[in-house]
């Protein structure tokens, strides 16, 4: 292998949990990857700024107009842009505020008018720039990141699953939440996480976003008919991580 | 074939000693359901199960299986089959494994399946409790369960064990078996006939009539759209099916960029990506892009396409697809009966 692949990492509106996942990778894997890549910009760990990089890892949603220029600059400098985590790929938890107007008062009380809270809708970064690969999940799946970067470094097209979580849930023989009288969104949510939530006794909330063709009407119907939700609750259910998808569907 | 009898307490001792000598895969409880797992203690064994979440084929072809390992230009097979006993398989799942034996040995042989299958001794057991969506009594009535080595039937005080193959006769020597009395043989026969009358669902027409009419319904697009209106394309009906045998093959590269492994993972024709193929140059095409065409394809596979190869339908009536489908639209009985009545 000749030159190392250069990688830069950036954060926008987020909890930085995805970058923490990066550092949680385990020394063995991380060091293995470092034989092939070199970080040229990483706010968490270094102060240098680079003029160009092969891969930009972008965490966080786009929620302020002033971030537009920074994103465009990243796009100009990067050969490949990877959106990392739910915030960057679909707006994430941040998008919860998109359909509410009293969030600042509720969350920050008398500090609600702090200037940095002024923001617009939380959107995926693909709302501003072209994104080459999206690594969904809250937080993103670190094994998936390694796999995608490794595939890119070695010239293989990365594969992000586009089928529902149910596939992985059934594969590990978890008793379905619906069989236990609960609800779940695994039927419309993108697999790749290994379906840990139903396996640990909680519904899938769709943190990896929807598959490309979710049957949303059917989701509302089963939430009402099988899980006993009210129509209103069923209609609102998919707003935790997927409200930006819903807007497109409706 | 010879019928033996073993008492309940001797059976427990027999299974305990078996576990110590070989990997035994058998049904155990999983919350409100059951699954086939490597048996660690006879106290976990649940021969009174109704149906398992995944079929026992997973002991022969696991959900994810390593096929080969590679390093540079050297490639080695990852097959490492060890002897195992698959205990407590219901007759409908025996039929399904037999179908896969057939399909995987026709044409281009599947050496992975065949290797693990050869190392597997199948001890079937009678259905003690019928699951709430089963229709095994009315589907493929002409197809007999075969390919298993022995068959256990619960009778009063113990089990009647029919030793079918030499492998089963060898197992008999490891336990305290007696000859079954004529009364015990009759009791077993009655028990096995009784469950056939207890299926909650029934296919109303013969295999041949179903094959013909379902095949003819291919062009009824509207009907398939109605059937699949609530379908999530979640693939649960494929993943849980004992006769589904499709898989996806992917290479996993190590970080060194020269070594890695090639694995296969169970796949399903209901999934949107299943029929997406490369046209080269980064372009793809999906030849079953619409949901209803995938839904139709599964039913065609189960009720018509494979019938000639298998001498019957590629469905054994386990009802797993029906109970695992969240919107409850996957039930072959409901679909087929509706087509037949149309
Ligand atoms: S996706 Fe989740 S973990 Fe990642 S930055 Fe957003 S909120 Fe944090
Ligand atoms: S628990 Fe959720 S993810 Fe699992 S099979 Fe049921 S609906 Fe699908
Ligand atoms: S099961 Fe659902 S909520 Fe849980 S990690 Fe997977 S996609 Fe996210
Ligand atoms: S199609 Fe359904 S009922 Fe038939 S064998 Fe498959 S899972 Fe069982
Ligand atoms: S028929 Fe049911 S189980 Fe099968 S893919 Fe559609 S929703 Fe999933």
């Amino acid at each position: 292998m000749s030159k190392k692949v250069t990688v830069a990492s950036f954060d926008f509106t987020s909890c930085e949990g995805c970058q923490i996942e990066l550092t949680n990778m385990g020394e063995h894997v991380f060091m293995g990857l470092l034989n092939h890549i070199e970080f040229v910009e990483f706010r968490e760990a270094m102060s240098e700024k680079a003029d160009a990089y092969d891969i930009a890892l972008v965490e966080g949603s786009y929620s302020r107009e002033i971030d537009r220029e920074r994103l465009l600059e990243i796009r100009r400098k990067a050969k490949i842009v990877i959106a990392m985590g739910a915030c960057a790929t679909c707006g994430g938890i941040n998008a919860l505020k998109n359909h509410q107007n009293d969030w600042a008062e509720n969350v920050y009380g008398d500090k609600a008018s702090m200037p940095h809270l002024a923001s617009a809708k939380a959107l995926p970064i693909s709302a501003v720039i072209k994104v080459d690969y999206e690594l969904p999940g809250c937080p993103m799946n670190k094994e998936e990141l390694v796999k995608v970067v490794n595939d890119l470094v070695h010239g293989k097209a990365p594969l992000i699953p586009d089928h529902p979580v149910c596939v992985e849930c059934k594969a590990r023989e978890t008793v379905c939440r619906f069989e236990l009288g609960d609800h779940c969104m695994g039927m419309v949510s993108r697999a790749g996480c290994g379906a840990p939530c139903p396996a640990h006794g909680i519904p899938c909330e769709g943190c990896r976003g929807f598959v490309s063709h979710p049957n949303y009407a059917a989701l509302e119907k089963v939430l009402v008919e099988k899980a006993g939700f009210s129509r209103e609750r069923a209609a609102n259910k998919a707003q935790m991580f997927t409200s930006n998808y819903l807007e497109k569907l409706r | 074939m010879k019928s033996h009898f073993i008492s309940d307490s001797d059976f427990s001792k027999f299974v305990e000693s078996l576990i110590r000598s070989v990997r035994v895969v058998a049904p155990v409880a999983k919350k409100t359901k059951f699954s086939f797992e490597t048996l660690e203690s006879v106290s976990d064994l649940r021969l009174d199960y109704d149906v398992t979440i995944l079929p026992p084929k997973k002991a022969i072809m696991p959900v994810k299986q390593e096929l080969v390992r590679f390093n540079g230009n050297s490639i080695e097979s990852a097959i490492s089959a060890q002897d195992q006993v698959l205990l407590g398989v219901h007759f409908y799942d025996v039929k399904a494994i037999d179908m896969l034996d057939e399909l995987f040995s026709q044409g281009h042989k599947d050496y992975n399946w065949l290797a693990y299958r050869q190392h597997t001794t199948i001890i079937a057991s009678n259905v003690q409790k019928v699951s709430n969506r089963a229709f095994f009594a009315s589907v493929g009535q002409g197809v007999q369960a075969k390919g298993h080595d022995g068959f256990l039937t619960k009778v009063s005080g113990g089990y009647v064990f029919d030793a079918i193959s030499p492998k089963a006769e060898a197992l008999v020597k490891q336990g305290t078996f007696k000859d079954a009395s004529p009364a015990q043989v009759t009791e077993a026969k009655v028990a096995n006939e009784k469950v056939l009358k207890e299926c909650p669902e029934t296919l109303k027409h013969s295999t041949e009539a179903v094959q013909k009419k379902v095949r003819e319904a291919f062009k009824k697009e509207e009907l398939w759209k109605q059937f699949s209106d609530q379908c999530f394309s979640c693939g649960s009906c494929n993943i849980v099916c004992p006769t589904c045998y499709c898989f996806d093959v992917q290479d996993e590269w190590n970080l060194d960029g020269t070594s890695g492994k090639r694995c296969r993972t169970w796949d399903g024709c209901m999934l949107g990506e299943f029929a997406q193929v490369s046209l080269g140059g980064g372009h793809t095409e999906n030849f079953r892009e619409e949901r209803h065409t995938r839904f139709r394809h599964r039913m065609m596979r189960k009720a018509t396409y494979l019938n000639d190869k298998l001498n019957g339908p590629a469905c054994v009536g386990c009802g797993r697809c029906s109970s695992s489908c969240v919107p409850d639209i996957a039930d072959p009985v409901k679909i087929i009966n509706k087509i037949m009545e149309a």
Side-chain angles (χ1 to χ4, degrees):
Chain A
M1 174 111 359
S2 49
K3 226 173 123 262
K4 282 188 180 178
V5 171
T6 53
V7 179
S9 160
F10 305 91
D11 52 273
F12 289 82
T13 310
S14 67
C15 77
E16 299 189 4
C18 288
Q19 295 202 64
I20 299 218
E21 275 300 280
L22 259 182
T23 58
N24 275 345
M25 209 125 65
E27 207 171 341
H28 175 69
V29 176
F30 201 64
M31 292 323 229
L33 206 54
L34 284 182
N35 288 330
H36 303 280
I37 67 170
E38 178 188 0
F39 274 97
V40 291
E41 202 170 325
F42 192 174
R43 190 174 67 89
E44 306 287 296
M46 56 200 285
S47 56
E48 291 89 342
K49 297 231 176 237
D51 294 331
Y53 19 82
D54 295 311
I55 299 175
L57 300 174
V58 184
E59 173 196 55
S61 67
Y62 163 66
S63 69
R64 297 178 306 174
E65 186 52 32
I66 53 163
D67 288 335
R68 177 181 290 274
E69 193 40 52
R70 229 180 109 218
L71 279 166
L72 290 170
E73 188 189 333
I74 292 168
R75 183 70 264 191
R76 274 194 300 274
K77 291 180 173 177
K79 285 195 194 129
I80 293 170
V81 173
I82 300 180
M84 187 167 76
C87 298
T89 57
C90 67
I93 287 280
N94 315 336
L96 266 177
K97 80 185 185 73
N98 290 0
H99 46 87
Q100 278 156 27
N101 34 38
D102 53 357
W103 58 270
E105 292 72 30
N106 279 329
V107 178
Y108 297 98
D110 55 8
K111 297 202 181 75
S113 54
M114 291 187 291
H116 72 273
L117 293 183
S119 60
K121 267 190 168 177
L123 296 173
I125 60 163
S126 60
V128 182
I129 57 171
K130 177 174 170 281
V131 172
D132 300 291
Y133 298 99
E134 294 196 319
L135 282 174
C138 179
M140 60 101 186
N141 173 344
K142 51 185 187 285
E143 284 83 29
E144 196 170 33
L145 175 83
V146 173
K147 198 168 172 302
V148 166
V149 172
N150 188 40
D151 284 348
L152 287 171
V153 165
H154 296 112
K156 178 182 182 289
L159 194 81
I160 312 266
D162 192 11
H163 51 253
V165 170
C166 298
V167 174
E168 293 173 344
C169 190
K170 281 280 168 285
R172 61 192 283 181
E173 291 192 276
T174 297
V175 179
C176 179
R177 298 311 301 161
F178 285 96
E179 299 251 15
L180 298 169
D182 196 4
H183 68 279
C184 190
M185 297 214 302
M187 311 85 73
V188 290
S189 308
R190 189 183 288 269
C193 54
C197 301
H200 291 105
I202 54 170
C204 168
E205 294 285 355
C207 83
R208 289 176 56 89
F210 284 156
V211 288
S212 307
H213 302 285
N215 191 339
Y216 192 72
L219 175 70
E220 284 196 17
K221 192 161 185 276
V222 296
L223 287 177
V224 170
E225 289 175 7
K226 279 198 118 166
F229 279 27
S230 66
R231 294 230 155 258
E232 193 195 359
R233 188 172 170 215
N236 286 335
K237 179 63 205 165
Q239 289 188 338
M240 178 116 109
F241 289 98
T242 39
S243 62
N244 282 319
Y245 291 82
L246 281 190
E247 275 190 22
K248 272 193 246 164
L249 287 175
R250 279 177 176 155
Chain B
M1 186 194 80
K2 190 159 180 226
S3 293
H4 305 267
F5 173 80
I6 185 164
S7 71
D8 285 321
S9 59
D10 284 338
F11 181 71
S12 293
K13 284 184 213 141
F14 168 67
V15 174
E16 278 299 352
S17 77
L18 206 57
I19 294 173
R20 282 193 295 272
S21 64
V22 66
R23 178 186 183 220
V24 177
V25 179
V28 303
K30 183 138 194 182
K31 281 195 182 154
T32 54
K33 302 258 162 191
F34 299 92
S35 67
F36 277 92
E37 304 293 345
T38 301
L39 201 61
E40 277 162 17
S41 155
V42 69
S43 58
D44 296 334
L45 180 63
R46 290 294 299 271
L47 290 179
D48 61 339
Y49 76 106
D50 53 357
V51 65
T52 52
I53 301 175
L54 290 186
K57 75 170 178 205
K58 72 170 193 179
I60 302 165
M61 181 169 98
V63 176
K64 183 170 178 184
Q65 182 176 44
E66 228 176 287
L67 301 177
V68 293
R69 295 183 202 108
F70 53 84
N71 192 351
N73 288 326
S74 84
I75 298 173
E76 64 174 40
S77 161
I79 295 176
S80 65
Q82 306 279 324
D83 283 347
Q84 60 176 353
V85 173
L86 191 45
L87 174 70
V89 182
H90 284 164
F91 79 99
Y92 51 83
D93 279 333
V94 170
K95 283 187 181 182
I97 291 173
D98 190 43
M99 287 178 196
L100 300 193
D101 284 346
E102 183 61 34
L103 294 165
F104 279 139
S105 36
Q106 288 175 2
H108 189 88
K109 287 188 173 28
D110 191 297
Y111 293 105
N112 288 273
W113 171 274
L114 296 174
Y116 290 93
R117 176 66 181 90
Q118 249 167 25
H119 281 82
T120 307
T121 302
I122 299 179
I123 304 301
S125 73
N126 72 313
V127 178
Q128 296 185 34
K129 185 167 184 274
V130 179
S131 72
N132 62 359
R133 300 302 290 269
F135 57 101
F136 48 65
S138 55
V139 71
Q141 285 177 330
V143 184
Q144 295 306 314
K146 60 181 169 53
H148 51 310
D149 297 284
F151 196 107
L152 279 166
T153 305
K154 184 79 193 80
V155 293
S156 27
Y159 295 85
V160 166
F161 181 55
D162 294 331
I164 299 165
S165 75
K167 280 184 187 172
E169 282 298 351
L171 285 179
V172 164
K173 300 210 173 62
Q174 291 185 31
T176 316
F177 289 86
K178 293 187 277 232
D179 289 352
S181 69
Q184 285 164 333
V185 171
T186 307
E187 191 185 344
K189 189 162 170 273
V190 170
N192 282 306
E193 281 166 0
K194 186 168 156 275
V195 288
L196 294 179
K197 301 195 189 85
E198 291 175 353
C199 281
E201 296 190 20
T202 307
L203 270 181
K204 296 187 190 142
H205 301 82
S206 73
T207 298
E208 294 70 28
V210 167
Q211 180 182 11
K212 185 156 180 288
K213 193 136 186 205
V214 171
R215 189 71 185 79
E216 283 166 6
F218 187 92
K219 290 218 170 77
K220 297 189 174 169
E221 303 271 330
E222 280 314 309
L223 184 68
W224 295 107
K225 281 184 183 158
Q226 275 172 29
F227 280 141
S228 62
D229 185 45
Q230 306 296 315
C231 178
F232 289 108
S233 300
C234 75
S236 288
C237 50
N238 292 131
I239 301 295
V240 301
C241 179
T243 72
C244 273
Y245 60 106
C246 287
F247 52 83
D248 183 40
V249 177
Q250 292 287 333
D251 287 351
E252 294 178 14
W253 291 79
N254 294 332
L255 295 175
D256 61 15
T258 56
S259 67
K261 56 187 179 184
R262 177 166 293 179
C263 299
R264 68 170 164 195
T265 313
W266 291 4
D267 205 345
C269 59
M270 297 295 274
L271 303 176
E273 311 149 295
F274 183 84
Q276 191 175 351
V277 292
S278 170
L279 299 178
H283 303 288
T284 60
E285 184 186 310
N286 192 330
F287 56 85
R288 274 193 295 277
E289 189 146 36
E290 287 180 277
R291 201 193 294 147
H292 76 277
T293 62
R294 297 194 291 272
F295 192 94
R296 176 178 66 194
H297 182 74
R298 184 179 79 98
M299 273 337 290
M300 290 291 162
R301 294 281 296 181
K302 298 303 164 196
T304 77
Y305 293 165
L306 294 167
N307 291 34
D308 297 339
K309 276 190 176 184
L310 297 172
N311 293 319
C315 169
V316 295
C318 66
R320 286 184 177 97
C321 55
S322 320
S323 62
S324 71
C325 175
V326 174
D328 197 355
I329 54 166
D331 187 344
V333 175
K334 289 190 187 147
I335 298 165
I336 292 171
N337 284 348
K338 179 132 193 235
I339 293 174
M340 297 307 286
E341 278 147 29

